[in-house]
């Protein structure tokens, strides 16, 4: 039993999903699963969260899996073994976590709609961007050196991925970006 909360397509042969299972009246197991699309069998389990996992992504080279949870952590796992390689601790719950195109950086969106840059090597928060009025969308430049943040408002901001420094702000002439 349990519930599948999110399905992310990895390729035509497997699915990456978030899930939760109730252990007893007060305890839950939460995480993600890599499922064989043909057989429906679980190929790998990524667990360790104590609150809902709201997003799961796989790195561009398909070697690592990244989860983001309301428990305030993002967790990075080996896609092959399911072992947890890194826990990123944030000051509040996470809505989403994303790998940069080269998988060297992690950007996470927190429940207060701020975004943080997390260092893959140390697990530390390198920088934090100011909160938005709604959940921001993050888009990376093809080379992974910058990312764009837009949150349904009249502007979007371009940031350096290494430092989080604001490089440029884009304003909509009418309406939303």
């Amino acid at each position: 039993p349990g519930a599948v909360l999110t399905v992310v397509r990895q390729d035509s042969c497997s699915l990456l999903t978030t899930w939760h299972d109730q252990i007893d009246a007060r305890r839950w197991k939460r995480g993600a699963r890599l499922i064989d699309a043909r057989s429906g069998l679980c190929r790998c389990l990524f667990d360790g969260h104590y609150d809902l996992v709201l997003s799961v992504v796989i790195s561009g080279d398909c070697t690592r899996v990244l989860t983001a949870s309301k428990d305030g952590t993002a967790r990075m796992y080996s896609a092959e073994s399911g072992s947890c390689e890194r826990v990123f601790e944030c000051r509040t719950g996470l809505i989403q976590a994303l790998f940069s195109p080269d998988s060297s950086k992690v950007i996470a969106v927190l429940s207060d709609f701020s975004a943080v840059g997390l260092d893959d090597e140390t697990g530390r928060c390198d920088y934090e961007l100011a909160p938005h009025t709604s959940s921001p969308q993050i888009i990376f430049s093809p080379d992974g050196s910058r990312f764009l943040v837009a949150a349904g408002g009249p502007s979007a901001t371009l940031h350096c991925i290494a430092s989080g420094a604001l490089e440029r702000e884009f304003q909509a002439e009418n309406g939303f970006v």
Side-chain angles (χ1 to χ4, degrees):
V4 173
L5 304 174
T6 307
V7 176
V8 177
R9 185 176 173 166
Q10 178 201 352
D11 57 39
S12 61
C13 298
S14 55
L15 301 170
L16 192 57
T17 67
T18 63
W19 61 273
H20 67 269
D21 284 329
Q22 190 166 7
I23 297 168
D24 58 34
R26 295 185 320 225
R27 295 183 305 151
W28 291 79
K29 286 178 69 175
R30 295 175 168 102
R33 291 182 179 144
L34 185 62
I35 298 172
D36 184 287
R38 293 188 180 109
S39 70
L41 297 175
C42 180
R43 291 184 8 199
C44 201
L45 181 66
F46 313 99
D47 62 3
H49 290 286
Y50 67 86
D51 207 339
L52 290 177
V53 175
L54 298 178
S55 82
V56 59
V57 294
I58 194 158
S59 62
D61 62 4
C62 297
T63 61
R64 296 182 295 170
V65 169
L66 182 66
T67 57
S69 171
K70 287 178 67 177
D71 67 12
T73 65
R75 293 176 183 263
M76 188 182 306
Y77 302 88
S78 162
E80 185 67 29
S81 69
S83 63
C84 185
E85 297 176 350
R86 172 92 50 232
V87 177
F88 303 96
E89 294 189 18
C90 297
R91 61 175 175 72
T92 188
L94 281 77
I95 296 171
Q96 181 181 31
L98 303 163
F99 283 112
S100 63
D102 68 358
S103 302
S104 66
K105 279 292 226 186
V106 171
I107 303 291
V109 177
L110 305 182
S111 60
D112 67 359
F113 304 140
S114 60
V116 295
L118 304 172
D119 187 280
D120 181 4
E121 297 289 318
T122 66
R124 291 189 335 245
C125 179
D126 284 343
Y127 52 83
E128 183 169 342
L129 306 180
H132 292 78
T133 56
S134 63
S135 182
Q137 298 298 310
I138 309 287
I139 300 170
F140 294 98
S141 64
D143 68 359
S145 65
R146 295 172 178 81
F147 63 98
L148 186 73
V149 180
S155 68
T157 54
L158 184 67
H159 299 268
C160 170
I161 197 154
S163 66
L166 176 65
E167 293 188 357
R168 187 167 178 196
E169 185 169 355
F170 302 92
Q171 293 288 332
E173 291 187 27
N174 294 317
F176 300 99
V177 173

